[in-house]
Amino acid sequence: PRPRPRPPRRDLETSDRSVTAAMARPSKPRKAQQQPRRSASGRGLLAGVVLAAVAALLGLRGRLAGVAERPSLVRTTCSRRDYKPAVPGCSPTGDACGRLVLDGFASAEELAGLRAIAARGMALGGGDGGPTILDLQSGALSWRDKFIDVWAAFNASGTPPFTTRDVAVYADVVRRIRSLAESTFGVSGLHLTAPTFFSRHSGDRPPKTEHDEYWHVHVDTLQYGSFTYTALLYLADGDVDFSGGRLAFVDDRWERPLERVVPRPGKLVLFSSGHEHPHHVERVESGERLALTVAFTCDPEAALHDFLSRAVPEPEAEGGASVRREESSAADVTGEIAAEEVHSDVSARSSACSWWRSTRSPWR
């Protein structure tokens, strides 16, 4: 006998009365079930989670490398041996110390102005052993293995000195840094203090004296005395203009690096100057590293009230318009300036540079 046909398999969407009809209908391919669309808020939440994960990964990579590349504020406990006598409302205490790394603090225009000041002043001198210092307040300028007075060098060479207009950008940047320091650390009454200076480190010059060995670990309150807060503004790029030269903060044993900062143009590093922040500059391997050090104190007696007072007023033409005098090159006379001490007020110049001549500092 012929086998009976098997009854059709019931579909959940058919009833008993429609089995025959279901068998007679040609089968159609089922449409894929559409997934419900995510809402805008759901997509935003997912994107936020992804971005947070990426940021965490990048931050972890930066911490593992020990290099600070993003703006960051790290709070630290203040050293008990520093900041005495304490000035209420100004001197850091307890957990109020710390360090800030801030990219893009100075604009391209400000950087150009500061570089021009450094280049023009340092053209009159230059250290033999790598570092060159330019301190416009005291007038100290590195020349070979000693210091001369940059203002005397201008006078002796016949080169027009800095005018108030030339150094206006310098004064403005210092004011902005002081305001940032007070707001960051919640203090008031900070004063600019000495030394505040430009530093250039040349990687192609080996040290000639112990003063040229800038890479040793130090603490600013020990090194400079009056410092309460230290600011470093970088004017050159650690990946383009030079290699090496990172700023390294180390632990309280002065051994293990806690954080390394790669200099970038316009990057500012601001930190409390005590024993909570031992640090050093790694040796520059090639190129030239250029930076500006600005320091603040809570001690009114150590304050600099007009640190650019030696700049001359801008000359005026008829009708009151300012006139820029043509700058002459001092390349041919710098040797004579330092070697023969040509400035008429030698004792005053020696006094102005005496701190730089006597101290053993790791110039940053």
Side-chain angles (χ1 to χ4, degrees):
R2 297 178 62 183
R4 293 182 181 180
R6 300 181 67 177
R9 188 175 181 178
R10 292 196 178 191
D11 196 301
L12 293 178
E13 297 179 356
T14 63
S15 63
D16 293 340
R17 297 179 180 179
S18 61
V19 172
T20 305
M23 291 178 61
R25 288 197 303 265
S27 60
K28 295 182 179 180
R30 289 191 177 184
K31 294 183 178 179
Q33 188 176 359
Q34 295 184 352
Q35 296 293 332
R37 293 184 178 179
R38 294 187 179 93
S39 63
S41 59
R43 291 195 301 271
L45 178 60
L46 179 60
V49 171
V50 172
L51 289 176
V54 172
L57 181 60
L58 292 176
L60 176 61
R61 187 177 67 178
R63 288 192 297 273
L64 291 176
V67 177
E69 292 290 349
R70 296 177 298 147
S72 60
L73 173 62
V74 177
R75 288 291 184 182
T76 58
T77 301
C78 302
S79 171
R80 295 183 179 180
R81 70 182 83 176
D82 300 303
Y83 316 118
K84 296 177 181 180
V87 177
C90 184
S91 299
T93 58
D95 296 328
C97 290
R99 60 183 181 268
L100 173 71
V101 179
L102 180 61
D103 289 297
F105 174 80
S107 67
E109 184 178 0
E110 289 172 329
L111 291 172
L114 293 172
R115 290 190 193 107
I117 293 173
R120 184 175 165 195
M122 291 179 179
L124 297 172
D128 278 346
T132 295
I133 301 301
L134 173 63
D135 179 352
L136 293 186
Q137 185 272 328
S138 71
L141 171 64
S142 302
W143 186 81
R144 295 184 179 177
D145 60 349
K146 64 179 73 175
F147 288 96
I148 60 172
D149 189 308
V150 67
W151 302 99
F154 279 129
N155 180 64
S157 67
T159 303
F162 291 117
T163 67
T164 52
R165 179 178 174 182
D166 292 330
V167 298
V169 62
Y170 190 3
D172 290 341
V173 167
V174 168
R175 281 192 290 267
R176 290 208 301 118
I177 296 175
R178 179 173 59 187
S179 177
L180 177 64
E182 291 183 336
S183 62
T184 298
F185 296 105
V187 299
S188 60
L190 288 179
H191 307 280
L192 185 69
T193 192
T196 288
F197 58 95
F198 292 90
S199 60
R200 184 183 68 200
H201 298 80
S202 300
D204 60 348
R205 297 183 181 182
K208 299 295 185 181
T209 69
E210 64 179 9
H211 297 278
D212 298 329
E213 298 180 2
Y214 54 84
W215 50 84
H216 299 295
V217 177
H218 64 282
V219 171
D220 284 354
T221 52
L222 292 179
Q223 196 69 50
Y224 302 104
S226 61
F227 282 28
T228 304
Y229 294 101
T230 306
L232 306 175
L233 179 61
Y234 295 113
L235 309 179
D237 196 317
D239 285 336
V240 177
D241 303 307
F242 62 94
S243 61
R246 295 179 299 183
L247 174 67
F249 291 99
V250 299
D251 62 11
D252 54 5
R253 295 186 178 183
W254 295 25
E255 297 174 351
R256 182 174 62 89
L258 299 177
E259 182 179 15
R260 291 186 176 95
V261 181
V262 178
R264 308 282 186 210
K267 175 181 285 186
L268 180 75
V269 182
L270 176 65
F271 56 95
S272 51
S273 308
H275 281 76
E276 66 276 359
H277 283 129
H279 60 280
H280 69 107
V281 174
E282 296 176 345
R283 191 165 181 171
V284 176
E285 299 170 359
S286 63
E288 289 188 343
R289 180 187 191 271
L290 186 63
L292 172 64
T293 297
V294 180
F296 301 98
T297 184
C298 293
D299 182 4
E301 295 184 1
L304 296 178
H305 297 288
D306 190 0
F307 78 110
L308 296 174
S309 61
R310 299 178 74 179
V312 301
E314 187 75 16
E316 294 186 355
E318 295 182 3
S322 61
V323 176
R324 302 306 302 266
R325 291 178 289 180
E326 183 178 355
E327 298 178 9
S328 59
S329 173
D332 297 331
V333 298
T334 52
E336 298 175 5
I337 294 171
E340 300 182 13
E341 300 288 328
V342 295
H343 188 259
S344 59
D345 190 1
V346 177
S347 61
R349 182 178 64 238
S350 299
S351 175
C353 300
S354 60
W355 186 91
W356 288 100
R357 290 190 176 116
S358 62
T359 191
R360 180 175 183 263
S361 275
W363 322 126
R364 41 177 133 255

